Amino acid sequence: MASSIAYVATDAAPRYAKQLASHLGRKIQAEELPDGGYRLTFPGRGEGLLTPEADRLVMRATAEDEESLGAVQDVLGRHLERFGQRNELTVTWE
């Protein structure tokens, strides 16, 4: 199982998590979690976990292989950067 994490600095983490889950939830399963986070399931690829914190949005990506992990990272990162373009959000996966 491959995984990676990204810490995106923002004071609007709950808003961005909800916006990303809502947007992607039109095409994939998006589940709201009790802690205010979201689980996004990419069929045949993997999953993304969005966890808003006070000063950052934590994004975790998991997948069966590196290729699928790259696809999950790309979708999550690209969409979040587009939503946060005005605030210059940058996603860097570790």
Side-chain angles (χ1 to χ4, degrees), residues 19-80:
Q19 183 179 13
L20 188 57
S22 176
H23 176 76
L24 294 177
R26 295 180 194 147
K27 294 191 176 193
I28 63 170
Q29 180 182 349
E31 172 190 0
E32 186 171 3
L33 303 174
D35 65 358
Y38 295 87
R39 177 178 290 116
L40 306 172
T41 304
F42 296 82
R45 289 288 187 184
E47 99 177 4
L49 189 62
L50 310 175
T51 306
E53 295 182 353
D55 60 348
R56 66 186 182 178
L57 177 60
V58 180
M59 299 196 308
R60 289 178 177 82
T62 57
E64 289 297 320
D65 56 55
E66 291 296 325
E67 181 182 345
S68 295
L69 180 65
V72 173
Q73 290 173 329
D74 177 61
V75 171
L76 292 175
R78 188 168 27 93
H79 283 87
L80 182 63

Side-chain angles (χ1 to χ4, degrees), residues 77-88:
R78 188 168 27 93
H79 283 87
L80 182 63
E81 286 180 349
R82 185 166 23 116
F83 297 149
Q85 187 174 12
R86 180 178 298 153
N87 295 322
E88 299 179 4

